[in-house]
Amino acid sequence: MKNVSGDPAQKNVKAVDHGVPSDPSALPAPPVVPGRLPVLGHLAAMLRDPLGFMASLLPLADVVTIYVGRRPVHVANSLDLVHSMLVTDAGHFTRGLLFEKAEKVVGPGLTMVEGEPHRRQRKLVQPAFGPRQIERYTHSMIELAAARVGSWQPGRTMDVDRQMYDLGVDIFTRVLFRSALDADSAARVKQATAGIMAGMVAHSLYPAEWMEKLPIPLNRRFRRADAQMTDAVDRIIAHYRHADAAGHDGAAMLDVLMAEGERTTGQRMNDTELRTEIVHLLVAGAEGPGASLAWLFHELSRHPDIERQLVDELTTVLGDGPLTLENLADLTFTRAVVKESLRVHAPTWLLTRRTEDCVDLGGYRIPAGGEVAFSLTTLHRHAPQYENPGRFDPQRWLDGRSANVPRSAYMPFGTGKHKCVGDHFTLQVVLVCVATIARQWRLVPKPGIRVRERPVALVRPGGLLMDVVAR
């Protein structure tokens, strides 16, 4: 169903109510996107400008087909269709190519498995991210953010993406392991996480599977990252076992995970099981908060009126007193800024699903075993459910305009049974760090900088150099 106007906001996202056959095999195949090249397919255009390429697909049809090499990949071009794949019709889909590649390295943890193993592991991990636990973690978040930000010096120029990434990883590891990692382990974890995430996306986009074995820099980095992560996590486990023997208060995320594992299975997790879960937590949870923070401060620098309103709220609510769990709840505008930043800069630019059988997706036939991709980043920016969807406007969450926006139109952390288990944790980290930084410092872009979107596994800002200015 082509959108002849060419305007994504005007595209009808429902095709199933217009007399289409009930048998999916009788439906038409999605249209193939023009510009397919021999051998490469659409890969060159996609790699040249990933987000621009995904946005260019929106006016064409609700579902289109691109080729990654010789492999057809069907792209869902509406949040309604994505919601149907992840929730209402989730039984017809599995995780897909991206996760299949990642599982080869990080193992069969929560973010990779399906069916009963997924239900079992989610039940194991969920208590570590419950509301009461997040309240306990928040005290560590506040303490670490204050110490880190308090060491900044006026006039300093910093790469905000790198600083926020380091801050996010430090907070996550402190909460996960009861204490910050030593410098060597922290560096290994950061390097390994970046290498694993870049490698799993690259392997998904290779035109041919044999390219995974080529001795090229990206593949070498991927294998080196795997070894680094295994070594770092084994050191962490050894340290954790030693600290466990010495006694502790059980307040860390890993303590909750271990206790739940012992409660449900009747025995302690062995080191292999523990390693798998730690690697998944680090890969899935360590990088996201930093990327979200970097984009948020980029948006504040571009919208000084919004920054002033945020700082006014911090001054009114916090005064000269400390940031606490209790006064965080009163930061309504700050929370709206966080929510809007996650809408415009949804962290994960590319996700995949694979059909279990022949399905009807938006009135098009997707065969059994078909790969389906979607970009939450792109779809949020063009969703017709929002007024001026491309505009950064936190007020939309406070003035009633969002009252008629369906929940399916806002899912920066996904939705359904595979929704990110750490979504509330990430929101709390970002809120704590924004409040801590913005009440003390202004981050002012260096003149002439050009901030670029760098979609790897997450979308991160390149070239975000900013001066630290005291308030």
Side-chain angles (χ1 to χ4, degrees):
M1 181 172 30
K2 188 174 181 180
N3 169 29
V4 294
S5 72
D7 181 359
Q10 299 299 317
K11 179 163 61 65
N12 183 349
V13 298
K14 291 292 185 183
V16 295
D17 299 325
H18 295 275
V20 297
S22 58
D23 179 7
S25 65
L27 293 169
V32 176
V33 172
R36 179 185 176 188
L37 299 175
V39 182
L40 292 178
H42 297 90
L43 190 57
M46 190 176 187
L47 293 180
R48 187 163 51 245
D49 180 9
L51 292 175
F53 176 77
M54 297 301 287
S56 75
L57 306 181
L58 298 179
L60 302 180
D62 293 335
V63 185
V64 297
T65 299
I66 63 173
Y67 278 81
V68 178
R70 296 184 174 88
R71 180 193 303 122
V73 176
H74 312 290
V75 181
N77 281 332
S78 87
L79 289 171
D80 284 349
L81 293 182
V82 171
H83 186 266
S84 74
M85 286 194 294
L86 302 184
V87 180
T88 55
D89 297 320
H92 297 285
F93 296 87
T94 59
R95 301 305 293 271
L97 184 66
L98 190 65
F99 299 93
E100 181 182 272
K101 299 297 183 182
E103 187 178 346
K104 291 181 179 179
V105 175
V106 298
L110 174 64
T111 55
M112 305 300 163
V113 293
E114 291 282 352
E116 180 55 35
H118 176 265
R119 287 188 289 273
R120 185 171 61 250
Q121 287 185 242
R122 192 172 185 94
K123 186 177 179 180
L124 173 70
V125 173
Q126 188 76 57
F129 291 96
R132 185 171 297 179
Q133 290 302 325
I134 289 178
E135 287 184 4
R136 298 178 71 179
Y137 305 151
T138 300
H139 299 294
S140 294
M141 297 178 194
I142 292 171
E143 178 186 336
L144 189 57
R148 184 72 177 257
V149 173
S151 68
W152 292 359
Q153 297 296 319
R156 172 187 178 186
T157 298
M158 64 184 185
D159 181 335
V160 171
D161 177 48
R162 172 51 56 187
Q163 285 292 324
M164 299 304 168
Y165 174 72
D166 288 349
L167 177 58
V169 170
D170 285 349
I171 289 176
F172 189 81
T173 54
R174 166 75 69 87
V175 168
L176 182 61
F177 303 120
R178 294 194 300 269
S179 62
L181 300 181
D182 63 86
D184 183 56
S185 293
R188 286 172 177 265
V189 165
K190 291 169 186 175
Q191 291 171 4
T193 300
I196 288 171
M197 296 186 81
M200 75 181 194
V201 173
H203 283 198
S204 301
L205 296 177
Y206 280 157
E209 192 165 336
W210 55 263
M211 294 182 67
E212 297 177 20
K213 299 180 173 60
L214 292 177
I216 58 178
L218 183 59
N219 290 343
R220 290 199 298 269
R221 182 189 179 198
F222 195 32
R223 288 190 289 271
R224 186 166 61 248
D226 180 22
Q228 282 181 319
M229 183 65 83
T230 298
D231 180 65
V233 170
D234 283 346
R235 292 188 188 189
I236 290 166
I237 291 172
H239 177 77
Y240 179 86
R241 297 291 196 198
H242 177 75
D244 186 50
H248 56 78
D249 61 3
M253 188 182 295
L254 198 54
D255 297 329
V256 181
L257 181 65
M258 292 281 287
E260 186 64 20
E262 189 167 354
R263 187 185 71 81
T264 56
T265 66
Q267 57 187 12
R268 297 191 71 184
M269 298 172 71
N270 60 42
D271 284 359
T272 300
E273 294 168 329
L274 195 55
R275 181 191 303 119
T276 298
E277 295 305 330
I278 290 174
V279 169
H280 274 263
L281 287 170
L282 289 171
V283 171
E287 190 170 7
S292 297
L293 280 165
W295 282 121
L296 191 150
F297 280 100
H298 173 62
E299 291 292 353
L300 290 181
S301 73
R302 297 173 64 233
H303 300 88
D305 55 329
I306 294 174
E307 182 180 24
R308 281 194 299 272
Q309 192 171 347
L310 184 146
V311 173
D312 286 346
E313 178 179 76
L314 293 175
T315 301
T316 300
V317 172
L318 305 181
D320 296 328
L323 180 66
T324 66
L325 177 64
E326 291 71 28
N327 56 33
L328 270 174
D330 297 324
L331 299 178
T332 55
F333 184 75
T334 306
R335 197 176 296 274
V337 171
V338 172
K339 187 170 185 176
E340 179 70 349
S341 185
L342 284 166
R343 184 189 70 82
V344 176
H345 299 284
T348 308
W349 77 277
L350 185 67
L351 289 170
T352 60
R353 289 295 184 270
R354 179 178 295 146
T355 56
E356 290 273 73
D357 45 29
C358 184
V359 301
D360 170 357
L361 186 63
Y364 294 103
R365 178 186 74 252
I366 310 297
E371 296 290 342
V372 182
F374 54 94
S375 172
L376 292 176
T377 308
T378 303
L379 292 173
H380 276 99
R381 293 176 183 178
H382 297 278
Q385 295 92 334
Y386 296 102
E387 177 185 327
N388 297 321
R391 180 183 177 192
F392 185 79
D393 182 11
Q395 199 64 40
R396 75 171 77 244
W397 303 106
L398 302 173
D399 61 10
R401 280 179 292 154
S402 64
N404 295 322
V405 174
R407 293 180 63 183
S408 60
Y410 185 82
M411 43 181 165
F413 299 102
T415 190
K417 64 182 180 181
H418 290 294
K419 183 180 181 181
C420 175
V421 72
D423 55 347
H424 294 297
F425 175 87
T426 296
L427 287 169
Q428 193 78 334
V429 172
V430 175
L431 186 64
V432 165
C433 292
V434 169
T436 302
I437 295 169
R439 71 187 301 207
Q440 298 181 56
W441 306 104
R442 288 177 58 225
L443 300 183
V444 181
K446 296 292 290 184
I449 68 165
R450 179 174 173 268
V451 179
R452 304 174 306 280
E453 291 185 303
R454 296 188 303 159
V456 185
L458 304 184
V459 184
R460 294 174 60 178
L464 186 54
L465 299 177
M466 306 181 88
D467 290 333
V468 177
V469 179
R471 291 208 181 273

